[in-house]
C-alpha cells in the first residue's frame, strides 16, 4: 500500500453542495494529518490538521479521522467556485518529521 | 501574517549549471524543509534541517544537492550540476518546534526551476 492515497478525481459538485474528499494511509504516516489546498501553479495552503479520532470543524470545513480504518476525509460545506482546486492530503509519523503527500484530488465546483 | 518567502520565483538554467534557491523561513520557526513537485505529480520531500544540520533526507537528495543556513534568516538549496529531470517546482517550508505531531508546515510560494 502506498503511504498516502487519494483519488485523483476530478470531483465535480454543484455550487452550494457538500464536497467530500477522501484519503487512506499506511502505518508509516499514522500520527497526524493535514489538508492543503493547491491552486494550479501555486503552493500548498494549509486548511486543517487533525490527529485525534473523530471530527474537527473550522468554518465550512470538517476533517474526519478514523484510525481503525486508516481513513481521513475533508468535507467542504456550501461549496463555492473559489473552492475549485487540488486538495492534498498529507500525513506524518511524529513531531516535526517530513510530510508525506498524496497525489491530490482535483475538485471542481460548478456555478 | 508572517510567511515563508522564496526567491527567485522562476529560474531558467542550462543543464550542468549550478543553481541556488533561496528561502526566508518564518522568523520564529526552527524546522526547515525543501520539497519539490514535478509538473502533474505529487509533492515530494527532499530534506529537513534543524539546529544547523540535516535531520532527514530522502533518496532524491543525492550528492548533487546541498542545503545551508548561511545566516540567521536565509535557508538555501543548491543543486551542483543540474539535470533535465531537476525541472520542477521547489517549495521551502518551515514549522515551529514542538513535540505535538500536529505542528503544521507553512509553505513558500515556490521557485519554478526550468532546466534547458
Amino acid at each position: 500500500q502506498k503511504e498516502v492515497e487519494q483519488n485523483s478525481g476530478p470531483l465535480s459538485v454543484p455550487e452550494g453542495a457538500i464536497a467530500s474528499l477522501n484519503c487512506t494511509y499506511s502505518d508509516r504516516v499514522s500520527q497526524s494529518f493535514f489538508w492543503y489546498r493547491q491552486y494550479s501553479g501555486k503552493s500548498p495552503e494549509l486548511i486543517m490538521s487533525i490527529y485525534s479520532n473523530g471530527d474537527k470543524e473550522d468554518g465550512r470545513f470538517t476533517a474526519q479521522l478514523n484510525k481503525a480504518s486508516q481513513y481521513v476525509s475533508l468535507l467542504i460545506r456550501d461549496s463555492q467556485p473559489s473552492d475549485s482546486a487540488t486538495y492534498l492530503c498529507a500525513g506524518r509519523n511524529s513531531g516535526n518529521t517530513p510530510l508525506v503527500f498524496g497525489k491530490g484530488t482535483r475538485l471542481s465546483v460548478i456555478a | 501574517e508572517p510567511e515563508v518567502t522564496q526567491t527567485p520565483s522562476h529560474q531558467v538554467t542550462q543543464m550542468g549549471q549550478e543553481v541556488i534557491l533561496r528561502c526566508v523561513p518564518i522568523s520564529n520557526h526552527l524546522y526547515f524543509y525543501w520539497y519539490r513537485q514535478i509538473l502533474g505529480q505529487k509533492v515530494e520531500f527532499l530534506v529537513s534541517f534543524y539546529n544547523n544540520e540535516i535531520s532527514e533526507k530522502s533518496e532524491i537528495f543525492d550528492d548533487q544537492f546541498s542545503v545551508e543556513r548561511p545566516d540567521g534568516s536565509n535557508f538555501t538549496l543548491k543543486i551542483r550540476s543540474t539535470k533535465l529531470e531537476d525541472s520542477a517546482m521547489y517549495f521551502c517550508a518551515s514549522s515551529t518546534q514542538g513535540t505535538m505531531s500536529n505542528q503544521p508546515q507553512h509553505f513558500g510560494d515556490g521557485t519554478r526551476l526550468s532546466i534547458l
Side-chain angles (χ1 to χ4, degrees):
Chain A
Q1 180 190 9
K2 291 180 185 172
E3 291 175 311
V4 178
E5 290 200 65
Q6 296 181 258
N7 186 324
S8 61
L11 172 67
S12 293
V13 299
E15 184 176 359
I18 296 175
S20 177
L21 303 157
N22 306 311
C23 173
T24 57
Y25 61 89
S26 71
D27 290 339
R28 288 193 59 202
V29 291
S30 58
Q31 290 304 308
S32 57
F33 303 90
F34 302 83
W35 283 100
Y36 286 84
R37 177 174 61 198
Q38 186 177 34
Y39 293 110
S40 182
K42 301 297 185 184
S43 64
E45 175 192 356
L46 180 68
I47 298 175
M48 290 188 73
S49 63
I50 187 166
Y51 61 102
S52 297
N53 268 329
D55 295 1
K56 180 180 177 182
E57 188 174 318
D58 184 0
R60 295 188 296 116
F61 300 98
T62 299
Q64 299 173 318
L65 175 59
N66 182 327
K67 290 195 173 185
S69 301
Q70 295 186 304
Y71 177 95
V72 58
S73 65
L74 179 70
L75 302 178
I76 307 174
R77 287 181 297 283
D78 188 24
S79 297
Q80 302 297 309
S82 57
D83 294 327
S84 298
T86 297
Y87 288 80
L88 309 179
C89 173
R92 70 175 177 214
N93 242 354
S94 62
N96 295 94
T97 54
L99 295 173
V100 178
F101 284 86
K103 285 188 174 181
T105 298
R106 189 155 54 92
L107 172 67
S108 179
V109 181
I110 311 299
Chain B
E1 185 177 327
E3 56 183 29
V4 176
T5 57
Q6 290 186 244
T7 55
S9 56
H10 191 188
Q11 175 80 46
V12 182
T13 302
Q14 292 288 331
M15 186 172 59
Q17 296 297 304
E18 173 184 289
V19 294
I20 297 177
L21 310 182
R22 291 182 167 79
C23 169
V24 179
I26 295 173
S27 62
N28 65 338
H29 285 187
L30 298 176
Y31 288 83
F32 314 120
Y33 309 83
W34 284 102
Y35 293 84
R36 79 171 185 190
Q37 187 176 32
I38 294 170
L39 187 63
Q41 297 188 25
K42 65 179 181 179
V43 176
E44 300 174 290
F45 166 70
L46 293 177
V47 65
S48 58
F49 193 86
Y50 170 72
N51 199 25
N52 285 319
E53 61 183 23
I54 290 174
S55 48
E56 195 166 340
K57 60 183 180 179
S58 73
E59 57 191 27
I60 302 170
F61 193 87
D62 61 22
D63 292 344
Q64 295 299 315
F65 291 87
S66 62
V67 289
E68 198 175 36
R69 188 157 163 81
D71 53 43
S73 59
N74 289 285
F75 178 51
T76 62
L77 174 69
K78 182 192 290 187
I79 309 175
R80 186 162 53 233
S81 177
T82 50
K83 308 181 190 70
L84 293 176
E85 54 264 37
D86 293 327
S87 295
M89 195 77 162
Y90 287 78
F91 294 110
C92 174
S94 69
S95 66
T96 58
Q97 184 173 15
T99 55
M100 295 297 289
S101 58
N102 63 334
Q103 294 295 328
Q105 294 178 17
H106 298 271
F107 284 72
D109 287 340
T111 293
R112 181 168 300 284
L113 178 62
S114 301
I115 307 300
L116 304 179

